[in-house]
Amino acid sequence: MAYSMIAICVVALFSYPFHLHQFLLISTLLTALATGKEVAEDRACAFRKFLTAGFLALCLVFMGVLQHESHRRTKISQEAHCFSFMNNAAFIDDFYELLPTMTDNRQYLFSFGKTLREAGRFNDSNAILRLGTKLDTDPMTYVLMGRNYEDMNLPKEADSLYRQAFLLQPNRIYPLYRQMKLYMKTGDNRAMRDKAKEIVVIKPKVMSPVVEKMKNEAKKIAK
C-alpha cells in the first residue's frame, strides 16, 4: 500500500491524476486501508470498520453523482460548441439558455459577448464579457468591451478599457491601435500622434501582416 501511495504522489508531481475519478477512489481506498492495524476484534475496532465502510459508501455515492454531472456538462459543452463560434444573432436565445451552466467557460462567454455586439446589443455584450474577466485576463475581452463603449459614444470608458488591455499584455499593439483610432475619431490629434509614435517604437512579440499594417498606418500618422 505504501508503494502504491508513493507511486501516485510521484505521478502527481508531473501530472494531474486526481482530476480523474478513478485515482480519487483508489487513493481513498488506499488511505482507508493504510490506517488499519492488526488489533484485537473488539467493539472499538468494529466501530472503526463500520465508519470506514460508511465513509467509502458515501464516497461511491458522491463519485456517482459527480460522474453524472460531468457527463451532463460535457454534453452541454458539445452543444454549445456547435454554434458558439458562428457569432450569429439567431443563436442568442440558445446562448442565454445554456448560460447558467457555462458561466465558467471563458471561450463561451467571449463568443456570446461578441455575438451580442454583432447584434448591436452593446450593454448586454459588456455584461457577458464582464463575467469573462472574472475567469481570464485575455486583453481581447477588454478591447471588445472598449469597442462597445466606443460605439455607444462613451470615449472615456473605451479609452480606460483599451489602456487596461495593453497593461495586461504590454507587447500587443492592437489595444494601442484602438486607442489611436479612438483619438482620431474624437479629434484629439495630439494624443493620436503620441499614440502613433508609441506604436512605431514598440516591438511586438510576434510580427504578422496585420501588425505590420497597423505599424505602417501609425508611421504615416506620426509623420
Side-chain angles (χ1 to χ4, degrees), residues 146-147 149-150 154-163 182:
R147 296 196 67 184
Y149 278 123
E150 187 176 342
L154 297 171
K156 290 184 179 180
E157 289 79 359
D159 188 30
S160 176
L161 286 165
Y162 293 151
R163 188 178 298 110
L182 175 65

Side-chain angles (χ1 to χ4, degrees), residues 138-156:
D138 183 5
M140 285 305 299
T141 302
Y142 292 86
V143 169
L144 202 61
M145 292 171 64
R147 296 196 67 184
N148 286 333
Y149 278 123
E150 187 176 342
D151 289 339
M152 289 189 290
N153 295 320
L154 297 171
K156 290 184 179 180

Side-chain angles (χ1 to χ4, degrees), residues 32-219:
L33 291 171
T35 58
K37 295 181 180 180
E38 294 293 335
V39 295
E41 290 291 334
D42 55 9
R43 292 183 179 179
C45 183
F47 182 68
R48 285 197 297 270
K49 288 185 176 180
F50 175 76
L51 287 179
T52 301
F55 176 72
L56 291 177
L58 288 175
C59 287
L60 289 174
V61 172
F62 175 73
M63 296 306 297
V65 174
L66 192 63
Q67 188 76 12
H68 174 74
E69 179 66 13
S70 178
H71 284 307
R72 187 181 73 86
R73 285 178 174 265
T74 300
K75 184 178 180 180
I76 291 175
S77 296
Q78 291 173 347
E79 292 177 358
H81 185 74
C82 295
F83 61 81
S84 60
F85 295 101
M86 295 182 183
N87 300 323
N88 193 320
F91 296 108
I92 289 179
D93 290 339
D94 298 299
F95 271 112
Y96 273 115
E97 184 178 351
L98 299 181
L99 180 61
T101 312
M102 302 294 288
T103 53
D104 58 349
N105 189 320
R106 63 181 183 85
Q107 292 180 345
Y108 177 87
L109 294 174
F110 183 82
S111 181
F112 190 9
K114 191 173 182 180
T115 301
L116 289 169
R117 168 175 167 73
E118 295 294 332
R121 297 171 57 172
F122 304 122
N123 278 321
D124 293 337
S125 174
N126 279 349
I128 296 298
L129 291 171
R130 285 192 192 95
L131 295 177
T133 60
K134 299 178 181 180
L135 305 172
D136 191 25
T137 56
D138 183 5
M140 285 305 299
T141 302
Y142 292 86
V143 169
L144 202 61
M145 292 171 64
R147 296 196 67 184
N148 286 333
Y149 278 123
E150 187 176 342
D151 289 339
M152 289 189 290
N153 295 320
L154 297 171
K156 290 184 179 180
E157 289 79 359
D159 188 30
S160 176
L161 286 165
Y162 293 151
R163 188 178 298 110
Q164 289 184 53
F166 176 72
L167 293 175
L168 285 170
Q169 198 169 357
N171 59 2
R172 297 193 68 170
I173 287 180
Y174 188 62
L176 299 179
Y177 177 78
R178 292 310 318 174
Q179 278 187 294
M180 183 184 73
K181 300 293 284 187
L182 175 65
Y183 299 147
M184 180 186 298
K185 184 177 180 180
T186 57
D188 192 344
N189 294 329
R190 181 176 180 180
M192 178 186 67
R193 286 193 296 269
D194 291 341
K195 193 60 59 175
K197 294 176 182 178
E198 189 175 350
I199 294 173
V200 172
V201 172
I202 194 172
K203 295 181 179 180
K205 184 176 181 180
V206 178
M207 181 62 73
S208 66
V210 176
V211 172
E212 188 174 357
K213 182 179 179 181
M214 288 188 289
K215 287 182 75 69
N216 289 335
E217 184 176 346
K219 287 179 182 178

